[in-house]
Amino acid sequence: MTASVTSRRPGPRRPPERNVLENETLGTRLHYLRRKIALQQVFAELFEKRWMEPAIPLTLLVGVVVFFSVATPGFATPENLLSSAAELAELSLVCIGMAVVMISGGIDLSVGSMFGLCNILMILLITLGGVPVPLALLLTLFAGAILGGVNGGIVAYLKARPFLTTLVTLIVFRGVLNLLDLNFSAQTATVFVLDPMWEWLGTGKVAGIPFSFVTLVVVLLIGHVLLSRSRIGWHITAVGASRRAARHAGIKVERVLLLCYVISGALCALAGIFYAARLSSASARVGEGLELNVLTAVILGGISLSGGKGTVWRAFIGAATISLLGKGLLLMNVGGEVLQTALAAVLIVAVGLDIKWGKNRGKAIQKTYVNPTLLRYRPAPDVRRGSGSAYEVNDRLLGAEAIGVGEVEGPEDVVLDSQGRLYCGTRQGWILRFSGRDFEHKEIFARIGGHPLGLGFDAEENLVVCVGGMGLYAVSPDGTPRKLSDETNRDWTRLRDDSRLRLADDLDITPDGKIYFSEATTRFGMADWILDGIEGRPNGRLLCYDPATGTTRTVIRDLVFPNGICSCHDGESLLIAQTWLCRILRYYHSGPNKGRLEIFMDNFPGYLDNINRSSDGGYWIALNGMRSPAYDLAMRMPSFRRRMMKRIPRDEWLYPSMNHGCVVKVSEAGDVLDTYWDPGGEAHATITSMREHDGYLYIGGLENNRVGRIKLSGSGAAQVDNRRPQSSARPVSVN
């Protein structure tokens, strides 16, 4: 069974996703193309993004803008939008402060009083105190931080309830504001300040945009970095999610709470400064009732009252909705009572929808995440006894010697070192080493975590390991593990960030020391990799780690579950097993054919796993399961597989057959030379790897509880170098 069909496109381009059948009609090809389009997958990956969490508030904001743009002619004019931007900036700054406090698990009802108090303080410093504008600005910001610190100190260190504390300080701060207004109302009613900076704060513009709004954008960016990219931001979220857990993690809870209230007070002061400069006046009515609008805005944006959830962008979305809604109703000559009623109605509807979306978002993503596509297979080779097929079933593995029965769980790959010691990974995240005459001595060579999959030794006897869910690791001869790589270059054309390694699978090392390894799927992890088979899409890739530079790059994208990787005997090419397509690709990484991609073998009777070199110039191939007519037919019916996932329990789904063990030996030309079967999977149910060493073949399996060993007839003392092949001096024959 030789198949050396050359890829039509040179270089490591995206390989074909299916086997093109003879006499395929145009209708069939159009049907395949329709199934290839993954709109459902785009939906799932889009709404999986964290920035899509406020989908309902954002939709509401867009709806408000569209409605008033149509219903009110003057709403969408540049003059109105610029005026709204200045007002929005002041409201948004206060909302961001409230959001930070709420994310930490608190609440600040005194924001309106702090806003008004800082507003009048700024004007009094300039008019009565004769303080220069820059210094007055700094003093007002400091005063706002002090006011916030009062709230934070009482809440954090006196253990008072945030609601009652800030309700009391609301009254106290408002009382101070009333006293100042009562004594200095004549000086603060209307002020004239001949200072360029004062004018810039009130009416200055950057590229036609109010300076206050530009400042808001800067605050939003800083707040985003602070909350999502800094240690203090993670601490704020952790404290809001669970103070007890945060305290046990070593976080200074009191300090974090104090900082949040200080930030809230400083942002209220900044908003009050812009308000004072814009209107050049102050009164006791400034900020009255503002706390209700702010609280409405942040809840509308999706900031959780229970803490531990929210972003500054959500606060901005809520503030923009409230601000533009009020502006639109004002342009429609609607009274204040109607405005408050409208705000209440919008809040109830929006919060209800947002809660509903928050509860069902995960379910919606889960139901649309797996998006089956169309795969067509040629008729599978006959494997029945007496069929005369090259894959005919036999019993050659039934008498295999068992190593470590019951002492290993899931030895997906096996490898032997130069001293003949046997290594394998386990489901517990260990790498075991068996030694002795009959491998009777077992020891834990390394505790690496994850699930060790592909194994291979480099020239320095370091054991290189693909760890599912963790990436590429190396274990030194003394058993010390270290990370080599857990990321690669990102494909910016995709919604999903594929820079992190999710399922590094198998590896081999080329003569130049580079480590080529497969990532079977970028969309599923170790726990649900089988879903990739139900989907059948090209989610995998071939990667290369260069020890000289310590970098990883993606060599080939869009491979359908690339599993086994084997460096060929010529030292210039790799074999890549594609499990769900039941075929092997050959990729030339160096030499005169560098960049060439071709099909090495096709149409296997089972699903491929690891590939390794044999001592006589051929290759060993593991089949971890066998094809069945029912599943071959199901792969041609994406709609059937989608309905199956939605309507019946997962343990009743139709899966690929994984209850047979088989090892196939092929030649360099791709001819089947020999097979070794364990029909029914009595001892080796799912064979995922095999390794030839010193006349024996060692067998591993992802679901097995042992490592098998059989004596190879005719092998003699032939031995395979398990580290890497030597570069061949003979010319490469290319079909």
Side-chain angles (χ1 to χ4, degrees):
M1 173 186 164
T2 304
S4 299
V5 181
T6 306
S7 175
R8 297 180 181 177
R9 298 174 291 184
R13 303 291 295 278
R14 297 176 178 177
E17 301 172 17
R18 62 192 182 115
N19 303 323
V20 180
L21 306 181
E22 296 180 1
N23 303 321
E24 196 172 76
T25 65
L26 177 61
T28 300
R29 296 187 180 186
L30 291 176
H31 180 59
Y32 170 77
L33 290 175
R34 182 173 68 85
R35 292 296 181 183
K36 181 180 178 181
I37 300 174
L39 294 179
Q40 182 174 298
Q41 180 176 321
V42 172
F43 169 83
E45 293 186 352
L46 178 64
F47 283 96
E48 189 185 33
K49 292 292 185 181
R50 185 178 179 183
W51 45 263
M52 283 301 296
E53 289 182 357
I56 299 299
L58 185 60
T59 302
L60 180 62
L61 174 60
V62 173
V64 167
V65 173
V66 172
F67 173 78
F68 285 114
S69 297
V70 175
T72 309
F75 181 82
T77 61
E79 295 78 10
N80 182 61
L81 292 178
L82 290 176
S83 173
S84 300
E87 298 174 12
L88 172 60
E90 296 158 8
L91 176 63
S92 297
L93 289 171
V94 181
C95 288
I96 293 172
M98 175 74 86
V100 172
V101 171
M102 289 178 60
I103 293 172
S104 71
I107 194 170
D108 191 351
L109 298 179
S110 67
V111 290
S113 298
M114 288 192 295
F115 172 81
L117 188 55
C118 290
N119 168 64
I120 197 170
L121 178 62
M122 179 70 178
I123 291 181
L124 289 175
L125 286 173
I126 295 174
T127 56
L128 294 183
V131 179
V133 173
L135 181 58
L137 188 150
L138 294 176
L139 291 174
T140 304
L141 289 175
F142 180 73
I146 292 296
L147 294 176
V150 171
N151 288 331
I154 297 173
V155 171
Y157 293 97
L158 298 183
K159 311 300 182 184
R161 294 183 179 276
F163 185 89
L164 294 177
T165 299
T166 55
L167 182 61
V168 171
T169 55
L170 177 155
I171 299 171
V172 173
F173 297 158
R174 180 62 60 180
V176 174
L177 173 59
N178 288 330
L179 287 175
L180 292 175
D181 181 67
L182 181 63
N183 290 281
F184 304 104
S185 59
Q187 292 87 344
T188 59
T190 303
V191 298
F192 298 94
V193 181
L194 300 177
D195 188 293
M197 186 174 183
W198 182 257
E199 295 182 2
W200 178 257
L201 290 172
T203 60
K205 294 182 180 179
V206 178
I209 301 174
F211 176 69
S212 58
F213 192 83
V214 174
T215 304
L216 168 65
V217 173
V218 174
V219 171
L220 284 170
L221 294 175
I222 295 175
H224 172 73
V225 173
L226 178 71
L227 288 178
S228 63
R229 297 292 187 272
S230 71
R231 186 179 300 273
I232 184 60
W234 302 332
H235 287 181
I236 291 173
T237 303
V239 169
S242 173
R243 291 190 186 182
R244 177 178 296 180
R247 199 181 304 277
H248 289 168
I251 298 174
K252 304 296 184 181
V253 175
E254 290 78 10
R255 189 182 304 172
V256 171
L257 291 174
L258 176 63
L259 176 63
C260 292
Y261 282 95
V262 168
I263 291 174
S264 176
L267 289 177
C268 287
L270 182 59
I273 291 169
F274 282 121
Y275 185 86
R278 181 167 62 88
L279 298 182
S280 292
S281 66
S283 71
R285 300 295 302 274
V286 172
E288 198 172 65
L290 180 63
E291 56 277 348
L292 296 180
N293 286 343
V294 170
L295 188 60
T296 300
V298 294
I299 294 176
L300 185 62
I303 308 295
S304 175
L305 280 170
S306 59
K309 179 182 178 182
T311 65
V312 294
W313 301 106
R314 285 189 163 207
F316 172 72
I317 291 173
T321 303
I322 294 298
S323 178
L324 294 178
L325 181 62
K327 191 74 172 182
L329 292 175
L330 183 63
L331 291 175
M332 296 178 69
N333 295 320
V334 174
E337 297 79 5
V338 176
L339 173 60
Q340 294 300 322
T341 304
L343 288 177
V346 168
L347 177 63
I348 292 173
V349 173
V351 171
L353 291 175
D354 193 42
I355 292 174
K356 192 73 173 178
W357 167 246
K359 289 182 177 179
N360 294 279
R361 175 172 166 266
K363 295 179 181 178
I365 294 173
Q366 183 180 10
K367 289 183 178 180
T368 58
Y369 192 77
V370 182
N371 186 26
T373 190
L374 173 65
L375 290 180
R376 294 178 180 272
Y377 299 96
R378 298 207 303 269
D382 195 347
V383 300
R384 294 175 298 176
R385 297 181 188 271
S387 64
S389 166
Y391 299 101
E392 183 178 343
V393 170
N394 55 57
D395 301 322
R396 301 173 71 179
L397 291 182
L398 291 182
E401 176 187 353
I403 300 173
V405 176
E407 297 180 324
V408 296
E409 291 186 36
E412 198 271 351
D413 198 8
V414 294
V415 68
L416 293 97
D417 62 15
S418 58
Q419 301 179 44
R421 295 175 294 188
L422 175 67
Y423 298 77
C424 67
T426 70
R427 190 169 285 109
Q428 293 92 340
W430 304 339
I431 296 179
L432 302 182
R433 179 166 66 187
F434 292 89
S435 57
R437 181 179 179 85
D438 295 316
F439 300 102
E440 69 278 1
H441 179 64
K442 183 198 78 171
E443 61 182 319
I444 298 177
F445 175 62
R447 301 177 188 269
I448 201 167
H451 192 150
L453 301 176
L455 307 173
F457 281 104
D458 64 12
E460 289 74 35
E461 292 293 331
N462 295 302
L463 181 60
V464 185
V465 189
C466 284
V467 185
M470 294 175 59
L472 189 68
Y473 281 69
V475 184
S476 60
D478 64 357
T480 303
R482 72 180 189 277
K483 182 180 70 176
L484 297 181
S485 177
D486 62 357
E487 61 182 358
T488 184
N489 53 300
R490 179 179 179 179
D491 183 357
W492 291 99
T493 64
R494 300 170 185 254
L495 281 170
R496 167 180 282 277
D497 182 358
D498 60 353
S499 60
R500 304 291 293 186
L501 303 181
R502 293 174 65 90
L503 192 57
D505 198 314
D506 193 28
L507 64 91
D508 209 346
I509 305 172
T510 53
D512 58 3
K514 294 180 179 178
I515 303 171
Y516 285 85
F517 62 102
S518 62
E519 185 176 22
T521 174
T522 60
R523 302 190 70 236
F524 303 95
M526 269 305 295
D528 53 5
W529 61 269
I530 195 68
L531 294 178
D532 193 276
I534 294 177
E535 188 174 75
R537 290 189 175 275
N539 300 321
R541 54 190 172 181
L542 173 69
L543 305 108
C544 177
Y545 172 78
D546 188 353
T549 61
T551 58
T552 301
R553 63 183 176 89
T554 301
V555 181
I556 307 177
R557 300 186 187 276
D558 297 336
L559 292 169
V560 177
F561 211 85
N563 208 333
I565 298 293
C566 180
S567 184
C568 296
H569 292 281
D570 60 15
E572 298 178 350
S573 59
L574 297 165
L575 296 183
I576 308 169
Q578 291 188 280
T579 299
W580 310 129
L581 293 186
C582 305
R583 74 178 181 189
I584 300 175
L585 299 176
R586 187 169 193 158
Y587 169 69
Y588 291 87
H589 57 80
S590 58
N593 299 301
K594 182 177 181 179
R596 181 175 175 179
L597 185 66
E598 62 187 22
I599 298 177
F600 175 69
M601 294 184 68
D602 199 2
N603 201 38
F604 279 83
Y607 302 104
L608 310 175
D609 212 290
N610 289 2
I611 309 174
N612 284 304
R613 297 178 298 279
S614 67
S615 60
D616 57 1
Y619 303 94
W620 296 102
I621 303 168
L623 301 186
N624 60 22
M626 304 307 298
R627 290 167 54 186
S628 65
Y631 202 77
D632 280 6
L633 179 61
M635 295 304 287
R636 299 173 60 179
M637 305 167 64
S639 298
F640 163 77
R641 303 203 304 278
R642 184 178 293 111
R643 290 196 299 271
M644 173 186 72
M645 291 186 296
K646 290 182 178 180
R647 298 183 181 181
I648 63 176
R650 183 168 177 168
D651 58 353
E652 297 180 11
W653 290 357
L654 179 66
Y655 286 112
S657 175
M658 297 292 182
N659 58 353
H660 290 73
C662 180
V663 175
V664 179
K665 184 178 181 181
V666 303
S667 68
E668 175 69 24
D671 298 313
V672 178
L673 302 177
D674 214 344
T675 59
Y676 296 79
W677 283 84
D678 181 1
E682 296 182 15
H684 301 284
T686 56
I687 296 178
T688 53
S689 67
M690 68 276 104
R691 193 82 62 161
E692 181 182 343
H693 182 86
D694 200 17
Y696 286 89
L697 188 68
Y698 296 82
I699 300 166
L702 184 63
E703 302 296 333
N704 296 342
N705 67 342
R706 70 194 71 190
V707 175
R709 183 173 79 157
I710 60 172
K711 178 72 174 178
L712 296 174
S713 59
S715 294
Q719 186 168 331
V720 179
D721 185 356
N722 288 317
R723 292 175 298 180
R724 56 185 183 184
Q726 300 300 315
S727 182
S728 174
R730 61 184 177 83
V732 181
S733 175
V734 182
N735 294 327

